[in-house]
């Protein structure tokens, strides 16, 4: 298969209004958190399902770009919100934040879902070369040219802004799968390449959830009256599928255990910052001797990843690295830049925040034996938040949801720092 130019070019892109500022810095995330925090209680519970459009995003936090890269951590956001609201008032928001941990923990325990997705995506991309009708429907979908006004709008909003409201993501995925009858993997790939918060776990498993593969047999059908209600009449599409027959797959995905690593790097060590956790320094017992920052954003897909997510990750990492006078590097083989950085720092030990399933993890896995041969050890430290949440992500979200009070009481919430 030749890698095509998946550029999703539009005559008119929807761009971000000034009211939404995806500033790729920790300060930008903290500013957004402060702006949102008063609304995280009943306001959020009452209005969060409404997609009011790009100009009005104050009913949801829009914190996912920072949370996905851990420029802000879940603990920080929860600490700040629970300082302003009682656990009861903020219950809905707190639960939503835990969906991220649920999906990460679930995929961590069923890694074959990710490897099958990657394989099936390649098959679906290949089939575009051989099936002209499929290729033309796909081109219409990714170019926002299907004639379904809401879908076309969201396709343009996705590429133009790097963000979609949760409800729009659900409707979009449902229309993609059940009305346009396109392979779900191609839709998941489109999201992963353009969402700033594009995340292997949340994205793959949400698409599977809509398709009836995550909760087996339970699908999500996008309905015109539901779309009209929750977009306040901006859209009332016609011609949508009336049934959503669950997709099936011929494989079972066995559950595997994942290591809970709580290693303490002994001095001296090199800190490896990745886009999966840009504030990993905060979980290290002592400051590092030196820092290296490596990007894997281009590894989200075999096709080109959009400028907006690529730029967010790069600029965010540069802002984190600026104190150390190094710049973010992008590479497929991470062993070389790590060995160079370790040699120039004169250390044999590298520590990094544990990376969940995805392109960062696969690069670390490939680099590790080469580092070992070079006499270097790589330590991956799991955050306490992940260590206590992930084991409850064995089946449905309810398993983790009912443990949230326990999880919160086990965690030492850290204070929000500038
Ligand atoms: C098809 C589909 C694909 C998705 N792909 C991604 C993705 O690639 N990356 C991603 O981060 N989220 C993904 N989501 C989940 C969700 O849509 C976004 O996390 C959320 O819309 C982010 O906007 P927000 O920060 O304003 O959310 P808020 O409503 O303000 O929620 C606060 C935080 O809770 C977490 N959260 C809320 N809902 C979910 C959820 N359903 N799943 C996981 N975490 C959640 C996020 O960290 C979010 O920032 C997807 C959902 C669907 C239906």
């Amino acid at each position: 298969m030749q890698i095509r130019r998946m550029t999703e070019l539009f005559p008119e892109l929807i761009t971000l209004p000034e009211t939404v500022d995806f500033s790729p810095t920790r300060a930008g995330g903290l500013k957004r958190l402060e702006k949102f925090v008063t609304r995280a209680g009943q306001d959020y519970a009452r209005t969060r399902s409404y997609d009011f459009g790009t100009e009005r995003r104050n009913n949801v936090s829009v914190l996912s770009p920072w949370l996905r890269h851990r420029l802000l951590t879940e603990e920080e956001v929860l600490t700040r919100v629970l300082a302003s609201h009682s656990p009861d008032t903020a219950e809905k928001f707190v639960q939503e934040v835990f969906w991220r941990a649920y999906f990460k923990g679930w995929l961590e325990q069923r890694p074959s879902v990710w490897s099958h997705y990657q394989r099936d995506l390649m098959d679906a991309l290949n089939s575009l070369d051989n099936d002209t009708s499929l290729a033309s429907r796909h081109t219409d979908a990714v170019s926002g040219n299907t004639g379904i006004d809401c879908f076309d709008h969201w396709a343009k909003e996705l590429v133009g802004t790097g963000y979609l409201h949760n409800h729009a993501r659900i409707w979009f995925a449902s229309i993609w799968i059940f009305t346009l009858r396109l392979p779900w993997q191609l839709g998941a790939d489109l999201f992963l390449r353009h969402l700033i918060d594009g995340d292997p776990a949340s994205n793959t498993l949400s698409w599977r959830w809509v398709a009836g593969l995550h909760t087996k047999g339970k699908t999500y059908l996008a309905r015109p009256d539901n779309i009209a209600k929750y977009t306040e009449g901006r859209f009332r599409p016609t011609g949508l599928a009336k049934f959503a027959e669950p997709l099936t797959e011929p494989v079972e995905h066995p559950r595997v255990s994942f290591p809970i690593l709580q290693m303490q790097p002994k001095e001296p060590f090199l800190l490896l910052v990745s886009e999966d956790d840009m504030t990993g320094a905060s979980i290290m017992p002592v400051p590092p001797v030196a820092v290296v920052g490596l990007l894997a954003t281009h590894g989200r897909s075999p096709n080109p990843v959009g400028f907006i997510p690529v730029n967010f990750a790069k600029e965010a990492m540069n802002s984190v690295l600026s104190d150390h006078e190094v710049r973010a590097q992008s590479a497929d083989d991470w062993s070389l830049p790590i060995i160079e950085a370790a040699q120039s720092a004169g250390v044999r030990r590298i520590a990094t925040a544990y990376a969940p399933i995805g392109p960062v993890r696969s690069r670390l896995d490939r680099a590790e034996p080469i580092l070992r041969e070079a006499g270097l050890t790589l330590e991956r430290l799991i955050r306490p938040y992940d260590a206590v949440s992930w084991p409850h992500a064995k089946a449905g979200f309810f398993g983790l949801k009912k443990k949230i009070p326990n999880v919160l009481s086990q965690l030492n919430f850290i204070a929000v720092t500038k």
Side-chain angles (χ1 to χ4, degrees), residues 33 42 65 77 217 228 254 273 291 324-325 350 409:
L33 174 60
Q42 276 161 4
V77 170
V273 176
V291 178
H324 304 275
E325 292 176 2
I350 297 109
S409 74

Side-chain angles (χ1 to χ4, degrees), residues 92-141:
K92 198 69 221 169
F93 182 75
V94 170
Q95 285 170 0
E96 291 305 308
V97 171
F98 272 98
W99 271 98
R100 179 176 294 283
Y102 166 71
F103 282 137
K104 276 188 184 174
W106 196 98
L107 193 62
E108 209 57 29
Q109 297 180 73
R110 288 190 177 71
S112 63
V113 168
W114 177 246
S115 50
H116 278 81
Y117 159 72
Q118 290 182 301
R119 189 200 61 192
D120 295 345
L121 172 63
M122 291 310 287
D123 289 348
L125 288 168
N126 281 331
S127 63
L128 292 178
D129 294 335
N130 308 321
D131 183 337
T132 47
S133 151
L134 177 70
S136 127
R137 281 184 293 122
H138 178 254
T139 302
D140 286 345

Side-chain angles (χ1 to χ4, degrees), residues 186-258:
L186 293 177
D189 179 61
L190 179 73
F191 271 22
L192 209 47
R193 287 186 294 115
H194 289 290
L195 288 170
I196 301 174
D197 65 34
D199 171 70
S202 291
N203 190 55
T204 314
L205 299 180
S206 297
W207 275 85
R208 286 173 59 85
W209 176 81
V210 171
L213 292 165
H214 185 70
T215 311
K216 283 195 192 332
K218 188 172 173 287
T219 52
Y220 182 91
L221 179 67
R223 294 175 200 276
D225 52 347
N226 180 267
I227 294 174
K229 176 177 172 187
Y230 287 106
T231 59
E232 286 201 319
R234 287 188 301 127
F235 302 109
R236 186 182 290 277
T238 53
L240 299 192
K242 299 223 165 21
F243 303 100
E245 189 65 23
L247 303 192
T248 56
E249 59 189 347
V251 283
E252 287 292 321
H253 296 288
R255 193 156 65 80
V256 300
S257 54
F258 58 88

